[in-house]
Amino acid sequence: MEDNFYYNQKNNRPFRVVVAHPGRQHSFELATALEQKGVLYKYITTVYDKEKSLTSFVKKFLRGKDLKKANGRRCKSIDDSKVIQLCEGWGLLFLLIQRILKSQALANRFCRFYNSVFSKKVGQYLSREDIDAIIMFDSTAEEAFAILKKNRPDIFRIQDVSIATRHYMKHNFENDYGLHELKKEFPEFWDDRVMKGYKNEIEDSQFFLVASVMSKNSLKFCGVNEDLVSIIPYGVNHNQFSYKPSNRDHESSLRIIYVGQVTYRKGIHHLLNVVSRFNSSEVDVYLAGGYEEDGSLYTKYKDVNNIHFLGFVTRDELAKEYQEADVFCFPTIGEGYGLVVLEALSCGVPVISSDLAGGNDAIIEGKNGFVVKAGDDNELEDRIRWCINHRDELANMRSFSHSTALEYTWEKYHENVARVTINAIKNYQSKEE
């Protein structure tokens, strides 16, 4: 009976679904879910550690963290025969540019160009294929969906929304005191031509996969019918991000961990502003993520003695950073889900999250953390002060934090996303008959 659900009776074959992403994000998990049900037709990407690929050649010259990153560009559950690489050279160039460009805005500009080239190639490639649906990700699907809408309207177009819509983020940015710097990071949000492209991408999508209520709300903000949106929370690797009871001395300063890029979009200016109000005997914050050495956030706070910039931390080192923390703080003002919230909870670390994190769906107030209004420094300060004054209660929240995370598994995601996807395709095809 289960097999019949994933079988296209009309065409006398299993359903055929393509997943396309120029990067990675959680696309490996999505592709794995469809492969397990026998409906993944192809996985299309750029940089991928496939035998005889340019990526595998370049990897021979890499060492350390760069090599670890390259080794992660491969999905063990998908046979190489199902992986199609398009624009691989552009993908490798983009990764290089990310390393050497100091300007986030310039990196974003090249990323849009790179996504556009990839998207066109995907649309042209799929125009010749016998498939039922294509799943692409926000900001990468505009050109492909436009081509398929014109040439292959029979192919169902699904957008996986991994981040809040750009229009919704712009709306939130305009209410933030870091607006000036946010405009530097994302000048395209105030470029009508670029924003029209994002709008076209949404309008040409026929169904949406999201991981959080916040992401769904961001689509509704753009006029999308909520019946076309399905919420499927992500999972977390509990083996990698394992629980460890705290042995922290409650007399020491409160250790806060943040994981992610040190940017205004992530709301770091709010966290650093608040932490700088405390002295080092009360609070220390550790920022695990890349930062610009000449950026305003680093230059302003690098000499503050209770603020520590760790730089990029590999995933195998990340669990230790979580486990050594008393609390994880994620003050983002522009997210889609924020897997880091689940990673912290899985390690047993209570979370202070903004209400724009997406991952805040997993927070049970006062039990495994707290949700604060994004951009409200006073509320964030109050919650940090509570943590300082209630160290015993905070420590007791660790086991509940871990048990909450256990409800979020990639196995559940695989099962749910595969069934939702095929059900949406069936509904579409039945309406077209």
Side-chain angles (χ1 to χ4, degrees):
M1 184 67 69
E2 178 75 2
D3 291 341
N4 288 339
F5 180 79
Y6 295 96
Y7 195 81
N8 189 328
Q9 303 290 344
K10 178 182 176 181
N11 295 328
N12 195 32
R13 58 164 173 74
F15 283 96
R16 292 177 178 173
V17 184
V18 170
V19 175
H21 196 312
R24 176 178 173 178
Q25 290 180 300
H26 64 280
S27 64
F28 283 4
E29 299 294 346
L30 175 57
T32 295
L34 300 175
E35 175 67 5
Q36 288 174 348
K37 299 301 181 181
V39 297
L40 179 69
Y41 181 67
K42 297 291 181 184
Y43 175 75
I44 306 177
T45 190
T46 56
V47 178
Y48 192 87
D49 186 18
K50 183 178 178 179
E51 187 177 358
K52 297 182 179 180
S53 68
L54 183 57
T55 303
S56 67
F57 174 77
V58 171
K59 199 177 81 165
K60 296 176 182 178
F61 303 94
L62 301 178
R63 298 292 183 274
K65 292 180 179 180
D66 290 332
L67 181 59
K68 288 180 180 180
K69 284 184 177 181
N71 286 333
R73 290 282 187 159
R74 182 178 184 84
C75 183
K76 296 179 180 179
S77 61
I78 306 173
D79 189 83
D80 276 0
S81 63
K82 287 195 173 183
V83 178
I84 303 294
Q85 288 179 269
L86 302 175
C87 312
E88 184 182 13
W90 283 114
L92 290 168
L93 179 60
F94 173 61
L95 294 178
L96 176 62
I97 285 176
Q98 278 188 312
R99 288 180 62 91
I100 62 178
L101 269 184
K102 295 183 178 181
S103 168
Q104 181 67 46
L106 287 177
N108 289 343
R109 183 179 298 178
F110 185 85
C111 182
R112 291 197 305 276
F113 167 77
Y114 156 58
N115 286 344
S116 176
V117 173
F118 174 78
S119 191
K120 288 176 183 176
K121 291 288 187 181
V122 171
Q124 292 164 358
Y125 173 81
L126 293 182
S127 292
R128 305 184 297 271
E129 297 296 306
D130 177 23
I131 64 171
D132 299 293
I134 169 66
I135 305 177
M136 295 189 72
F137 293 70
D138 49 284
S139 81
T140 72
E142 180 190 353
E143 291 81 0
F145 281 10
I147 291 171
L148 296 176
K149 182 179 180 180
K150 179 180 179 181
N151 299 334
R152 291 293 304 278
D154 57 304
I155 297 177
F156 190 47
R157 303 180 299 276
I158 302 174
Q159 183 180 156
D160 191 312
V161 181
S162 58
I163 194 168
T165 64
R166 273 63 180 176
H167 295 81
Y168 187 64
M169 282 200 289
K170 177 185 177 182
H171 169 75
N172 292 321
F173 287 176
E174 289 178 332
N175 294 315
D176 192 274
Y177 66 70
L179 177 60
H180 178 71
E181 295 294 336
L182 287 162
K183 282 187 173 182
K184 290 182 181 179
E185 284 185 7
F186 298 94
E188 67 269 25
F189 285 11
W190 286 266
D191 183 324
D192 291 341
R193 181 186 59 82
V194 175
M195 295 301 280
K196 181 65 165 62
Y198 290 135
K199 186 69 172 176
N200 290 341
E201 182 182 67
I202 292 172
E203 292 176 348
D204 286 345
S205 301
Q206 296 166 293
F207 193 76
F208 301 87
L209 302 172
V210 301
S212 68
V213 172
M214 191 275 296
S215 290
K216 182 175 182 177
N217 288 339
S218 78
L219 285 167
K220 290 168 65 177
F221 179 84
C222 293
V224 174
N225 185 333
E226 64 179 318
D227 293 337
L228 301 178
V229 184
S230 183
I231 300 176
I232 306 168
Y234 300 145
V236 63
N237 185 334
H238 299 291
N239 292 324
Q240 183 177 17
F241 298 101
S242 57
Y243 171 60
K244 180 181 178 181
S246 175
N247 58 2
R248 291 267 298 155
D249 180 0
H250 292 186
E251 298 302 316
S252 61
S253 66
L254 182 78
R255 185 182 178 107
I256 298 175
I257 183 73
Y258 160 83
V259 176
Q261 286 186 312
V262 180
T263 64
Y264 282 82
R265 177 175 75 84
K266 297 290 188 175
I268 292 301
H269 50 302
H270 296 290
L271 175 59
L272 299 186
N273 177 45
V274 169
V275 169
S276 65
R277 299 174 183 176
F278 295 90
N279 60 54
S280 59
S281 65
E282 295 174 299
V283 176
D284 278 288
V285 63
Y286 293 80
L287 308 171
Y291 58 87
E292 297 179 11
E293 291 188 1
D294 60 350
S296 61
L297 288 170
Y298 180 71
T299 55
K300 182 177 180 179
Y301 292 102
K302 64 183 177 67
D303 295 323
V304 179
N305 61 4
N306 64 341
I307 295 175
H308 312 277
F309 293 84
L310 302 179
F312 174 77
V313 175
T314 58
R315 296 188 72 76
D316 56 334
E317 299 170 332
L318 203 49
K320 183 178 179 181
E321 294 294 339
Y322 282 127
Q323 292 165 352
E324 291 182 350
D326 296 306
V327 64
F328 172 74
C329 188
F330 196 52
T332 182
I333 53 175
E335 211 61 40
Y337 191 80
L339 273 173
V340 288
V341 171
L342 291 185
E343 291 171 359
L345 291 173
S346 184
C347 291
V349 184
V351 174
I352 300 175
S353 169
S354 82
D355 57 358
L356 294 177
N360 60 287
D361 289 354
I363 303 301
I364 301 173
E365 195 73 10
K367 299 291 186 180
N368 59 4
F370 305 96
V371 178
V372 299
K373 182 174 176 56
D376 190 329
D377 289 9
N378 291 331
E379 188 176 1
L380 179 58
E381 180 182 353
D382 287 343
R383 285 311 181 190
I384 291 176
R385 196 170 295 282
W386 183 94
C387 293
I388 294 172
N389 295 330
H390 298 81
R391 297 293 290 275
D392 288 338
E393 293 175 53
L394 188 66
N396 292 335
M397 292 166 68
R398 295 181 75 90
S399 61
F400 189 83
S401 298
H402 176 63
S403 63
T404 302
L406 292 178
E407 298 297 315
Y408 294 83
T409 68
W410 284 117
E411 289 74 21
K412 284 185 179 180
Y413 171 83
H414 293 161
E415 189 66 33
N416 291 334
V417 77
R419 179 163 287 274
V420 165
T421 297
I422 297 304
N423 198 52
I425 297 170
K426 286 183 175 182
N427 289 338
Y428 171 71
Q429 291 182 345
S430 66
K431 292 176 182 178
E432 293 298 300
E433 291 177 355

mmCIF file of all heavy atoms in Angstrom, residues 287-306:
data_model
loop_
_atom_site.group_PDB
_atom_site.id
_atom_site.type_symbol
_atom_site.label_atom_id
_atom_site.label_comp_id
_atom_site.label_asym_id
_atom_site.label_seq_id
_atom_site.Cartn_x
_atom_site.Cartn_y
_atom_site.Cartn_z
ATOM 1 N N LEU A 287 31.408 33.821 20.009
ATOM 2 C CA LEU A 287 30.783 33.877 18.694
ATOM 3 C C LEU A 287 31.495 32.906 17.754
ATOM 4 O O LEU A 287 32.648 33.139 17.358
ATOM 5 C CB LEU A 287 30.854 35.292 18.128
ATOM 6 C CG LEU A 287 30.340 36.405 19.053
ATOM 7 C CD1 LEU A 287 30.657 37.766 18.473
ATOM 8 C CD2 LEU A 287 28.844 36.258 19.277
ATOM 9 N N ALA A 288 30.827 31.804 17.415
ATOM 10 C CA ALA A 288 31.405 30.792 16.533
ATOM 11 C C ALA A 288 30.865 31.007 15.124
ATOM 12 O O ALA A 288 29.770 30.561 14.789
ATOM 13 C CB ALA A 288 31.067 29.391 17.031
ATOM 14 N N GLY A 289 31.641 31.705 14.320
ATOM 15 C CA GLY A 289 31.212 31.992 12.958
ATOM 16 C C GLY A 289 32.109 33.009 12.293
ATOM 17 O O GLY A 289 32.812 33.774 12.965
ATOM 18 N N GLY A 290 32.094 33.021 10.978
ATOM 19 C CA GLY A 290 32.941 33.928 10.237
ATOM 20 C C GLY A 290 32.568 35.384 10.455
ATOM 21 O O GLY A 290 31.407 35.712 10.691
ATOM 22 N N TYR A 291 33.570 36.246 10.375
ATOM 23 C CA TYR A 291 33.335 37.682 10.544
ATOM 24 C C TYR A 291 34.321 38.452 9.661
ATOM 25 O O TYR A 291 35.366 37.923 9.242
ATOM 26 C CB TYR A 291 33.514 38.103 12.006
ATOM 27 C CG TYR A 291 34.866 37.796 12.593
ATOM 28 C CD1 TYR A 291 35.936 38.694 12.466
ATOM 29 C CD2 TYR A 291 35.100 36.596 13.262
ATOM 30 C CE1 TYR A 291 37.184 38.413 12.995
ATOM 31 C CE2 TYR A 291 36.346 36.306 13.797
ATOM 32 C CZ TYR A 291 37.380 37.212 13.660
ATOM 33 O OH TYR A 291 38.624 36.923 14.177
ATOM 34 N N GLU A 292 33.975 39.700 9.359
ATOM 35 C CA GLU A 292 34.848 40.573 8.584
ATOM 36 C C GLU A 292 35.761 41.335 9.541
ATOM 37 O O GLU A 292 35.275 42.042 10.432
ATOM 38 C CB GLU A 292 34.020 41.548 7.742
ATOM 39 C CG GLU A 292 33.140 40.882 6.696
ATOM 40 C CD GLU A 292 32.321 41.888 5.903
ATOM 41 O OE1 GLU A 292 32.596 43.104 6.018
ATOM 42 O OE2 GLU A 292 31.413 41.466 5.174
ATOM 43 N N GLU A 293 37.063 41.198 9.361
ATOM 44 C CA GLU A 293 38.002 41.833 10.292
ATOM 45 C C GLU A 293 37.931 43.355 10.262
ATOM 46 O O GLU A 293 38.279 44.013 11.247
ATOM 47 C CB GLU A 293 39.422 41.363 9.994
ATOM 48 C CG GLU A 293 39.647 39.892 10.342
ATOM 49 C CD GLU A 293 41.100 39.493 10.218
ATOM 50 O OE1 GLU A 293 41.926 40.362 9.874
ATOM 51 O OE2 GLU A 293 41.398 38.312 10.478
ATOM 52 N N ASP A 294 37.500 43.908 9.129
ATOM 53 C CA ASP A 294 37.347 45.361 9.067
ATOM 54 C C ASP A 294 35.880 45.773 9.130
ATOM 55 O O ASP A 294 35.536 46.923 8.874
ATOM 56 C CB ASP A 294 38.003 45.926 7.803
ATOM 57 C CG ASP A 294 37.405 45.352 6.525
ATOM 58 O OD1 ASP A 294 36.617 44.378 6.617
ATOM 59 O OD2 ASP A 294 37.727 45.862 5.436
ATOM 60 N N GLY A 295 35.021 44.815 9.481
ATOM 61 C CA GLY A 295 33.597 45.112 9.605
ATOM 62 C C GLY A 295 33.296 45.878 10.878
ATOM 63 O O GLY A 295 34.046 45.809 11.862
ATOM 64 N N SER A 296 32.195 46.594 10.881
ATOM 65 C CA SER A 296 31.864 47.455 12.019
ATOM 66 C C SER A 296 31.620 46.670 13.302
ATOM 67 O O SER A 296 31.947 47.144 14.398
ATOM 68 C CB SER A 296 30.646 48.321 11.681
ATOM 69 O OG SER A 296 29.513 47.514 11.402
ATOM 70 N N LEU A 297 31.062 45.476 13.197
ATOM 71 C CA LEU A 297 30.784 44.693 14.404
ATOM 72 C C LEU A 297 32.079 44.253 15.084
ATOM 73 O O LEU A 297 32.230 44.370 16.305
ATOM 74 C CB LEU A 297 29.930 43.470 14.054
ATOM 75 C CG LEU A 297 28.473 43.760 13.708
ATOM 76 C CD1 LEU A 297 27.791 42.506 13.152
ATOM 77 C CD2 LEU A 297 27.713 44.250 14.939
ATOM 78 N N TYR A 298 33.023 43.766 14.291
ATOM 79 C CA TYR A 298 34.283 43.299 14.868
ATOM 80 C C TYR A 298 35.108 44.464 15.405
ATOM 81 O O TYR A 298 35.622 44.414 16.532
ATOM 82 C CB TYR A 298 35.076 42.514 13.829
ATOM 83 C CG TYR A 298 36.394 41.996 14.365
ATOM 84 C CD1 TYR A 298 36.424 40.959 15.294
ATOM 85 C CD2 TYR A 298 37.603 42.553 13.946
ATOM 86 C CE1 TYR A 298 37.632 40.491 15.800
ATOM 87 C CE2 TYR A 298 38.819 42.093 14.441
ATOM 88 C CZ TYR A 298 38.826 41.058 15.373
ATOM 89 O OH TYR A 298 40.014 40.602 15.869
ATOM 90 N N THR A 299 35.234 45.503 14.624
ATOM 91 C CA THR A 299 36.073 46.634 15.055
ATOM 92 C C THR A 299 35.503 47.312 16.305
ATOM 93 O O THR A 299 36.257 47.807 17.147
ATOM 94 C CB THR A 299 36.227 47.660 13.920
ATOM 95 O OG1 THR A 299 34.927 48.074 13.467
ATOM 96 C CG2 THR A 299 36.983 47.063 12.748
ATOM 97 N N LYS A 300 34.190 47.322 16.435
ATOM 98 C CA LYS A 300 33.570 47.982 17.584
ATOM 99 C C LYS A 300 33.711 47.169 18.866
ATOM 100 O O LYS A 300 33.880 47.734 19.958
ATOM 101 C CB LYS A 300 32.091 48.254 17.296
ATOM 102 C CG LYS A 300 31.369 48.978 18.425
ATOM 103 C CD LYS A 300 29.915 49.283 18.048
ATOM 104 C CE LYS A 300 29.201 50.013 19.185
ATOM 105 N NZ LYS A 300 27.791 50.349 18.818
ATOM 106 N N TYR A 301 33.647 45.814 18.725
ATOM 107 C CA TYR A 301 33.568 44.994 19.933
ATOM 108 C C TYR A 301 34.778 44.082 20.162
ATOM 109 O O TYR A 301 34.810 43.363 21.164
ATOM 110 C CB TYR A 301 32.301 44.131 19.873
ATOM 111 C CG TYR A 301 31.015 44.923 19.978
ATOM 112 C CD1 TYR A 301 30.251 45.202 18.845
ATOM 113 C CD2 TYR A 301 30.573 45.409 21.204
ATOM 114 C CE1 TYR A 301 29.070 45.935 18.931
ATOM 115 C CE2 TYR A 301 29.390 46.137 21.314
ATOM 116 C CZ TYR A 301 28.649 46.395 20.169
ATOM 117 O OH TYR A 301 27.475 47.124 20.267
ATOM 118 N N LYS A 302 35.779 44.092 19.291
ATOM 119 C CA LYS A 302 36.888 43.147 19.419
ATOM 120 C C LYS A 302 37.698 43.333 20.701
ATOM 121 O O LYS A 302 38.321 42.383 21.196
ATOM 122 C CB LYS A 302 37.810 43.243 18.198
ATOM 123 C CG LYS A 302 38.528 44.577 18.031
ATOM 124 C CD LYS A 302 39.355 44.580 16.737
ATOM 125 C CE LYS A 302 40.027 45.932 16.505
ATOM 126 N NZ LYS A 302 41.053 46.228 17.502
ATOM 127 N N ASP A 303 37.674 44.522 21.258
ATOM 128 C CA ASP A 303 38.468 44.777 22.461
ATOM 129 C C ASP A 303 37.631 44.746 23.745
ATOM 130 O O ASP A 303 38.155 45.023 24.830
ATOM 131 C CB ASP A 303 39.171 46.132 22.352
ATOM 132 C CG ASP A 303 40.204 46.157 21.229
ATOM 133 O OD1 ASP A 303 40.867 45.128 21.025
ATOM 134 O OD2 ASP A 303 40.324 47.192 20.548
ATOM 135 N N VAL A 304 36.365 44.414 23.619
ATOM 136 C CA VAL A 304 35.519 44.275 24.808
ATOM 137 C C VAL A 304 35.860 42.944 25.461
ATOM 138 O O VAL A 304 35.818 41.889 24.819
ATOM 139 C CB VAL A 304 34.023 44.331 24.433
ATOM 140 C CG1 VAL A 304 33.158 44.159 25.683
ATOM 141 C CG2 VAL A 304 33.701 45.641 23.725
ATOM 142 N N ASN A 305 36.232 42.965 26.744
ATOM 143 C CA ASN A 305 36.848 41.779 27.349
ATOM 144 C C ASN A 305 35.904 40.610 27.596
ATOM 145 O O ASN A 305 36.364 39.510 27.916
ATOM 146 C CB ASN A 305 37.571 42.155 28.655
ATOM 147 C CG ASN A 305 36.622 42.737 29.695
ATOM 148 O OD1 ASN A 305 35.411 42.806 29.503
ATOM 149 N ND2 ASN A 305 37.201 43.179 30.811
ATOM 150 N N ASN A 306 34.592 40.808 27.475
ATOM 151 C CA ASN A 306 33.693 39.657 27.646
ATOM 152 C C ASN A 306 33.041 39.230 26.324
ATOM 153 O O ASN A 306 32.054 38.496 26.310
ATOM 154 C CB ASN A 306 32.626 39.944 28.704
ATOM 155 C CG ASN A 306 31.688 41.078 28.314
ATOM 156 O OD1 ASN A 306 32.004 41.888 27.436
ATOM 157 N ND2 ASN A 306 30.538 41.132 28.972
#
